[in-house]
Amino acid sequence: MSQSLAWNRKDLIDVEHLSRDEIETIFTAATAFKRAMEADDKKQPYLEGRTVVNLFLEPSTRTRLAFEVAASRLSADTITVTGGASSLTKGETLRDTARNMEALKADMIIMRHSASGAPNYLSKVVDIPVINGGDGSHAHPTQALLDSFTLLEKFGSLEGKRITILGDILFSRVARSNIWCLQKLGAEVTIAGPSTLVPKEFEALGVHVCHDLQEALEDADAVMLLRIQHERQTATHFPSIGEYTSTFGLNKQRAKWLKLGAIIMHPGPINRGVEIDSELADSEQSVVLQQVTNGIVVRMAVLHLCYCAHNGKSIELP
Amino acid sequence: MNEILWITGGRIIDPANKRDETGDLYSVDGVLVEQLDDTQKKAATKIDANGLVVAPGLVDIHVHFRDPGQTHKEDIASGSRSAAAGGFTTVVCMPNTSPVCDNAGTIQRIMDKVARESIINIYPTGCLTIGMDGEQLAPTGQLKKAGVVAVTDDGKCVQSNEIMRRAVEYAKMLDLPIMDHCQDASLTQGAVMNEGEWSLRLGLRGWPKAAEDIIVARNVILAELTGAHIHMQHVSSANSVDILRRAIARGISVSGEASPHHIEFTDADLKDYNTVYKMNPPLRTDADKEALIEGLCDGTLACIATDHAPHSPDEKDREFDTAPFGIIGLENSLASSLGTLYHSGRLSLSEVIALMTHKGAELCKLDAGTLSAGADADICLFDPDEEWTVDPKQFFSKSRNCPWEGQTLKGKVKSTFVAGTQVYDGTSISA
């Protein structure tokens, strides 16, 4: 099948600069891949003979695996390079590492990096597509896209839907990307959590900022929980994990504040008993595992679209 | 030496003497004189300055020449040539070299090199504290004897109020100006850009203005307590300007400087993670920029200083978080300042020149920045309206980290004289 789809980007760096048409193009492709996957037609030929490098310079399990699976389902060869195993630990610059991968004839680079803006930098250094697998506190575009894809499966449309993102917004690349993605698709976004992690300056991005959990959850169609990221916060941002849980942790009782039929999302990894009760994380309200599955097809879509755009190929879908 | 210079027909602007007129300027043996006699006129080297401004050589009380220790970025020779090409005849170097300038020996080493290699007047500063660690006072008396014109821990800020108080008291006894880089380090851990909407958008660690404001307020209080004068370097926030304005109105002896980049760029310029906009203190918001300009207009901020901070291309060519802070600015400072302050209609030509000459010189008690008879013939000739496009590759500085790259600016230095000798002819270094 050949379709006229809106996509001419070599790279996927963030959601902020994507148009709604581009987001919907990704979803069209993801839907096609998901349909094929459910029909047990898992393997697609679109990146056959191509090499995809997973350059993961910051720890990751599910994103890295999801990209590896996505690339493999597109028939690409994948190479994974992690921070500790790269020459960056010997002082090699990111430019040199990336240029070497290009010289090794890699066709795409997926990068996770602890520094915000690193994929922007990389995309200017190399001529092959760069897909952002999460950079610092800046962006995690494929996570936001799979989150919205999951919400669309549930609701059909996000127009007027009220979505609350709860937790550590300040240090969260997932929150930032979701704020852009959800709003572009017509949702109303509330961000909630302690004032030290949810500064009111976020209002400039068009969201409602809230520090009262009940207010944040009431009438929400979905709540996205974020992991409390001990590794990014200084000790000064909240008094203790216990204090956080008692004030902002989601439990069964508090979940009743949500709109009937509302869903609970989490990008993982979950700190069970911290931002969410274990029982609730595994409940029918939770779509955490659907998010993981959708992560494969959304990433297949992104890899396929960027590869086609960069190589001047028409977009074929199963 | 019997060299006679006769600059004719230029618009002579000497703010220190409230002079703005078309006329001639003379120097004999490197010193400005009021007139030449007929014999001297016949022997003089005549420079036609018709259509040009004839100003005092520019003065910058805040530059980093990285010498000793990091001469791959800049050294005394290249820094002095960069300054000369920007119209500067006098600069004050910061002490955060390697080793830092916390002892007379390092100062002597710099002075010796200046004597050998510089084509302009370069004055060193000394550290406030040993190793710039903020814990123990540097030997300020010995530093003064060695030739420093001010003390500062620039690049760092003394965090202990007690140490700062004693450093200020001690420097006052020695009649040495005190300059401070105002930054509460506890508020800027890991910070790389202004805290605000853009740091939230970009996911970069924010650097609140309060980190500067708190120290500016602290220094105002210490200036009042000790009676010493404290100069705030590279002021970047509206609140800091306001604190200074109120303090000065109350008669407290404090001052501040603004850099050309803080009055031109904002944190929105970081939107593409271009490390050439990474600087300390960080670029702030439009409101802060406007407050700085207002501060320069009403005299709250005494002068313009570049904070010329060279870094090699390799060091800047990396992820934003790990790139060093700082930009160069000597070779475009006049043009960019003219653009922001004069061509925009905010200040007269004379007022801008004052901010770049005698006002800074007075803060550091330097004999520079005027065209008074008897002063050294340090002169800058420039065309305030000539346009040129900034190409850092053509700079005399060793470094290229210049955020004005590609911009077309108005205001071109045509000639620089130091003690009556031409050191820059508008194209090349002639000393």
Side-chain angles (χ1 to χ4, degrees), chain A residues 16 94-95 113 115-118 120-121 124 137-138 170-171 176 180 199 201-202 204-205 232 234, chain B residues 189 195-205 271-274 314 316-322:
Chain A
E16 182 181 356
L94 180 56
R95 172 187 286 272
H113 200 292
S116 298
N120 304 54
Y121 171 79
K124 290 168 191 157
S137 302
H138 171 228
L170 181 60
F171 295 96
R176 278 174 179 75
W180 294 117
E201 285 81 2
F202 268 108
L205 274 54
R232 289 185 198 281
T234 65
Chain B
Q189 295 289 321
E195 180 179 292
E197 180 185 341
W198 277 99
S199 66
L200 291 181
R201 280 174 178 263
L202 296 169
L204 292 172
R205 184 79 71 134
K271 63 181 183 297
D272 293 326
Y273 297 93
N274 188 342
D314 285 348
K316 278 286 193 181
D317 180 22
R318 54 194 314 151
E319 302 92 310
F320 197 91
D321 279 348
T322 54

Side-chain angles (χ1 to χ4, degrees), chain B residues 35-48:
Chain B
Q35 283 295 336
L36 299 179
D37 60 29
D38 288 344
T39 310
Q40 286 173 318
K41 281 186 176 174
K42 280 181 192 162
T45 301
K46 222 168 167 183
I47 307 279
D48 181 5

Side-chain angles (χ1 to χ4, degrees), chain A residues 38-59:
Chain A
E38 286 171 348
D40 212 22
D41 186 14
K42 286 185 180 173
K43 197 96 168 176
Q44 304 299 330
Y46 304 117
L47 290 182
E48 195 168 348
R50 306 294 110 190
T51 303
V52 174
V53 173
N54 281 296
L55 182 59
F56 273 62
L57 304 176
E58 191 188 56

Side-chain angles (χ1 to χ4, degrees), chain B residues 127-142:
Chain B
C127 299
L128 277 168
T129 63
I130 296 286
M132 290 178 49
D133 288 336
E135 291 173 358
Q136 186 184 345
L137 298 190
T140 320
Q142 294 173 41

